[in-house]
């Protein structure tokens, strides 16, 4: 595993994409102390001052149909890396890929992929970007320092990479089943009423779990609905 560290970069995901286009190997990692244009999903921005962790991992040769399941692998790794430093806090996972500490967002994960025109069933690469708030966060979110830990960046990063490798191996060997049940054990809002804000409408229902492929199962007044993308909020 090669780890490339920057003091400052536009976005660790963007840098890793540039390196991937030049042939960077499977499991190349990019980290930065600060990002100038940190990104969330749907072109949102990710506040990225110095004092937090910004880390992206490159994976190659994944199946197009199951690659999105790596977001659950990544969430579990982030959970472990945060929990070890905040043993007292309640760490929960929010579909599809947020990590909450005592109910507030402490980490976000962004998956970006590139397809392969000559091999349409295999991704050319997948980039998994982690933003973990260690010392700083926006007012509506939280960070490790606020929650009382003695932050040690190297320890958190090493734990994140170690746990990611462990869960990734588990996923490669055993498929999504085990990962899914571990994720559900730590999920926020299971059995509770939530609303999924899709592009054009809002769907309300009880969060009943995940499908075998990682979609969200909602029990609504019109029966079970499967949500494969979008936003979910507790109501
Ligand atoms: C995410 O997006 O949660 C994915 C964030 C991924 C960031 C990492 S950092 C390393 C790598 N390089 C990048 O450029 N990105 C990845 P989303 O679910 O769309 O959430 C974005 C929303 O979270 C924003 O619209 C804000 O409301 C909120 N937000 C922004 N900065 C935050 C922060 N530092 N902590 C908590 N919430 C934040």
């Amino acid at each position: 595993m090669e780890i490339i560290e920057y003091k400052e970069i536009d976005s660790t995901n963007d840098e890793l994409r540039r390196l991937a286009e030049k042939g960077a190997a499977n499991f190349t990692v990019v980290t930065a102390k600060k990002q100038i244009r940190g990104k969330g999903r749907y072109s949102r921005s990710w506040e990225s001052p110095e004092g937090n962790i910004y880390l992206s991992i490159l994976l190659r040769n994944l199946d197009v149909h199951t690659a999105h399941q790596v977001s659950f692998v990544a969430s579990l790794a982030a959970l472990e890396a945060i929990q070890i430093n905040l043993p007292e806090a309640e760490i929960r996972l929010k579909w599809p890929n947020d990590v909450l500490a005592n109910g507030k967002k402490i980490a976000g994960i962004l998956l970006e992929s590139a397809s392969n025109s000559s091999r349409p069933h295999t991704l050319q690469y997948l980039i998994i970007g982690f933003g973990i708030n260690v010392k700083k966060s926006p007012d509506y979110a939280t960070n490790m320092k606020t929650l009382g830990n003695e932050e040690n960046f190297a320890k958190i990063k090493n734990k994140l990479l170690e746990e990611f490798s462990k869960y990734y191996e588990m996923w490669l060997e055993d498929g999504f089943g085990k990962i899914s049940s571990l994720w559900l054990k730590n999920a926020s809002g299971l059995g509770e009423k939530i609303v999924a804000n899709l592009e054009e409408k809002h769907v309300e229902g009880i969060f009943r779990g995940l499908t075998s492929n990682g979609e969200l199962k909602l029990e609504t007044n019109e029966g079970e609905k499967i949500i494969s993308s979008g936003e979910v909020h507790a109501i």
Side-chain angles (χ1 to χ4, degrees), residues 50-61:
E50 189 162 345
N52 296 332
I53 288 175
Y54 311 106
L55 181 151
S56 302
I57 304 174
L58 178 71
L59 296 177
R60 292 193 179 272
N61 300 319

Side-chain angles (χ1 to χ4, degrees), residues 15-120:
E15 175 63 6
L16 194 48
R17 179 184 287 272
R18 291 187 287 265
L19 296 173
E21 294 293 341
K22 288 189 210 146
N26 193 26
F27 261 102
T28 300
V29 174
V30 166
T31 71
K33 286 201 159 71
K34 126 184 211 199
Q35 296 185 122
I36 308 300
R37 269 194 312 281
K39 305 186 294 184
R41 295 176 302 145
Y42 310 113
S43 318
R44 292 179 191 135
S45 73
W46 184 255
E47 289 195 23
S48 307
E50 189 162 345
N52 296 332
I53 288 175
Y54 311 106
L55 181 151
S56 302
I57 304 174
L58 178 71
L59 296 177
R60 292 193 179 272
N61 300 319
L62 290 166
D63 186 316
V64 171
H65 309 288
T66 53
H68 64 278
Q69 294 169 3
V70 174
S71 96
F72 298 91
V73 169
S75 302
L76 285 169
L79 177 139
E80 301 265 8
I82 294 166
Q83 189 81 74
I84 195 180
N85 282 274
L86 293 175
E88 308 289 318
E90 189 191 30
I91 315 294
R92 296 259 136 207
L93 301 175
K94 186 170 156 228
W95 189 88
N97 52 16
D98 287 354
V99 186
L100 309 179
N102 295 351
K104 289 183 170 176
K105 186 155 166 174
I106 193 165
I109 298 165
L110 174 66
L111 267 71
E112 295 184 292
S113 62
S115 55
N116 196 331
S117 50
S118 56
R119 291 164 70 203

